[in-house]
Amino acid sequence: MARSAVGVIFTNIQDKNIPELSSHRTLASIPFAGRYRLIDFALSNLVNSGITTVGIVTKNNYQSLIDHIGSGKEWDLARKDGGIILLPPYSNETDAPYKNRLEALKGITGFLRHRKEDYVVLYDGDGVSRIDIADVVRFHEESHADITMVYHETDSVESHYYITLDTDSFGRVNGLKINPRVNNGEKINLYINVMVVQREYLMDIIQNAVQSGYSSFGREILSKNVNTMRIFGYKFNGYYAGITSLSRYFKYSMQMLDKNVRDELFGARDIYTKVRDSAPSKYIEGAVVKNSLVSDGCLIEGTVENSILFRGVKVGKGSIVRNSVLMQETMIGSAAQLDCVITDKNVVIRDRRRLAGCEELPYYVSKGKML
Amino acid sequence: MQRKKECVAMLLAGGQGSRLYALTNNIAKPAVAFGAKYRIIDFPLSNCINSGIDTVGVLTQYEPLELNEYIGNGQPWDLDRSFGGVHILSPYQAKKKSSWYEGTANAIYQNMGFMKKYNPDYVLILSGDHIYKMNYAKMLSAHIATGADCTIAAIEVPFEEASRFGILNVNNDGSIYQFEEKPKVPKSNLASMGIYIFTAEKLYKYLEQDEQDAASSKDFGKDVLPAMLNAGEKMFSYRFAGYWKDVGTISALWESNMDLLGSEPAFDVSDPTWKIHSRNPLAPPEYISETGRVDNSMIALGCEIYGTVQNSILSSNVIVEDGAKVVDSVIMSGTVIKRGAQVYYSVIDENVTIESNATVGESKETAKGITVLGRNLTVSPDAKVESGKIIDKDYKGD
């Protein structure tokens, strides 16, 4: 139990990786896997590790996030002491809301100062995984680390900003690169935007950074001090889906159709999310559904294959939906055909329309659009 | 000024539901699963909150554990309130005496203190064994408009079934002149739905009176309502025309589940203006595999379908393995139907394991009746459970 840690989730910090899906919501509130939002995985991992206080750092477009989080009760985080604490940007006439992670951290020093926990878990809500945060904190303590950065081994990366780590046999980071070139097939240790740091140490870092006029947490603090700070890398070996582009969103969505992936993500511990009391889904006579995930409140009269259906999706008679992700309340009329399509919330596809994209470039229909 | 509630609801949820046999061995009838994600009690509770009634006493007696846990603090129905909300009312030990609830009227009588705490003008009496959507606020408006002391919700039933119900004989204005409990020769087909609104003071008065009457069976239908009518109190019927089903028998429970199917179902639980609230399962969306086939069915979250499901209702986390077949059945949560097993025309309770190639029941056309399997049991591989059987322990075959 990581009883002595507080979580901080940055909901906007990776927004520009997926402008399509984050134009009217924070990246952390992007819908995923039929009934979740990305932040559910971060929150559930924190809660399942015994953390009962989570600060949620927002910047803009956080209406849907606030609607989703509510009081935090779905995550057992409606608490008298701690629980969910929303941290909207602090700004006045002269200061604009934060532009980078350092400024975001500076904005929450008040929150950090008033907590009692020893550690802070800094978590960007852009990854889907089931990480045992308590184990990361244990590793952090045993390594006597100042900072522990969680990484996974991969051979590809697609992001505006990423950090790779080199570690010695004890896990100590002895090399830290920002946006290095990655050759085809080369294995890298990619930092997955989950970090544990002593709370007071973090406050010192922030204060020094402000006094020194730094603007980059990665370049001016981590990278520059890699030999003087005790930075450790915690290797995460489980399933990790970094939602860093629309095509990756699509690719990882499709991976949810794999039973092994689902069992790892949802099997052992619960992933909590907001519930809307939708009725169970209905499959009408003549419906054909194969290799698909269907959330509640759906009404299926047509054919659905290799697809993810969110809450309240309707697929009309004679329509064929293949290899697609249909978000909440998407309405597909009759005799329409979709292949490799992502529809955002409340999209309406009229009768007999045909839409197709391809795996690398799924056809995206933005929120509320009628085609 | 004393804080008060205009109307307090009292939900009678203590019944054993013995005609549901194995399904109510360990749980009260209102806690029985219904419609893939609901329990029977979700309907009256959702009706309450949707009607603006936010103070509900739930009277439990028989096997209340699971029901109590399900209701919890009432949050799923928005009934977690600082003043009001949902409260479990179990029989208790009082200073002078302690007793079990002896009848519906006695159960309410014993909780007079609870009602009076909210100083209500009206009390709504409900039961926890029906599936229906009803706006109690409209009934309350009618009760106020007629100036009645008691209003009884009533529905027209087929004449041939009328002798199973409490029958109301009414005048043109809806006022009741006679109340007959299960008459052999019914004069009308207007049946009481077991939903009453009382003007609070009258209710208290007649409950006190009934309690003093040693000959009374302490029942609303048999004792309290006739007593009020005999005393000349103003009693009105309130006609209800929507879907209403007593799911007190296996066949009624099965039928009512089936009424949810189709694109124009007899009973619609997906009406956004009258949501049925429930405690939601923590489960990912249901998965239908490459080999899975789902036809005319309702499937809840967390199910995994590799076999065939037809005309059936599956609650959360049911697994139908490859080659298994489920037809015309109601399957409650956590049940696993293994490879090659077949289930026809059955109601199967929670966490049952039907091992590979076992057969449960037979096709609706030839079956002797609905087959029922109680919770947590296992049907052995290749075993055959005959149609119409009710099983409540592990079954290895004959």
Side-chain angles (χ1 to χ4, degrees), chain A residues 33 35-36 73 257 259 262 270 272 276-286 289-294, chain B residues 37-38 75 260 262 265 275 277-278 280 282-289 295-299 301 304 306:
Chain A
R35 68 179 303 230
Y36 304 94
K73 63 173 186 272
L257 297 176
K259 180 168 169 56
R262 281 203 313 280
D270 291 322
Y272 305 94
R276 306 245 178 206
D277 282 346
S278 310
S281 283
K282 270 199 328 199
Y283 301 71
I284 305 302
E285 205 154 1
V289 182
K290 282 182 194 297
N291 192 34
S292 295
L293 279 172
V294 179
Chain B
K37 77 174 281 198
Y38 307 101
Q75 182 267 321
L260 303 171
K275 269 200 176 182
H277 304 284
S278 68
N280 285 262
L282 276 169
E286 64 256 28
Y287 175 72
I288 319 292
S289 84
D295 203 5
N296 189 36
S297 295
M298 194 176 226
I299 313 273
L301 296 173
E304 293 188 13
Y306 302 90

Side-chain angles (χ1 to χ4, degrees), chain A residues 12-20 22 27 126 157-163 177-180 190 193 219 242-246 248:
Chain A
N12 286 99
I13 219 122
Q14 309 285 359
D15 276 8
K16 63 180 169 190
N17 276 332
I18 313 188
E20 299 91 343
S22 65
L27 186 121
D126 65 338
V157 59
E158 188 179 349
S159 176
H160 280 81
Y161 182 90
Y162 58 94
I163 295 174
K177 299 191 195 76
I178 291 160
N179 293 355
L190 184 69
N193 303 327
R219 285 176 213 283
I243 309 299
T244 52
S245 69
L246 192 66
R248 291 219 166 198

Side-chain angles (χ1 to χ4, degrees), chain B residues 190-257:
Chain B
L190 196 59
S192 163
M193 297 164 68
I195 300 167
Y196 319 120
I197 292 178
F198 290 92
T199 298
E201 293 307 322
K202 294 282 180 184
L203 176 68
Y204 303 154
K205 178 181 159 192
Y206 283 92
L207 285 179
E208 295 275 6
Q209 204 172 298
D210 185 62
E211 197 56 26
Q212 303 309 319
D213 181 357
S216 167
S217 58
K218 315 272 191 284
D219 185 85
F220 272 100
K222 291 192 195 110
D223 308 296
V224 176
L225 299 176
M228 284 182 78
L229 200 61
N230 289 340
E233 300 290 357
K234 235 173 143 180
M235 300 180 81
F236 274 78
S237 59
Y238 173 78
R239 278 176 189 259
F240 177 76
Y243 184 94
W244 178 77
K245 192 132 190 158
D246 181 342
V247 287
T249 63
I250 295 286
S251 62
L253 182 69
W254 182 89
E255 275 167 30
S256 196
N257 270 288

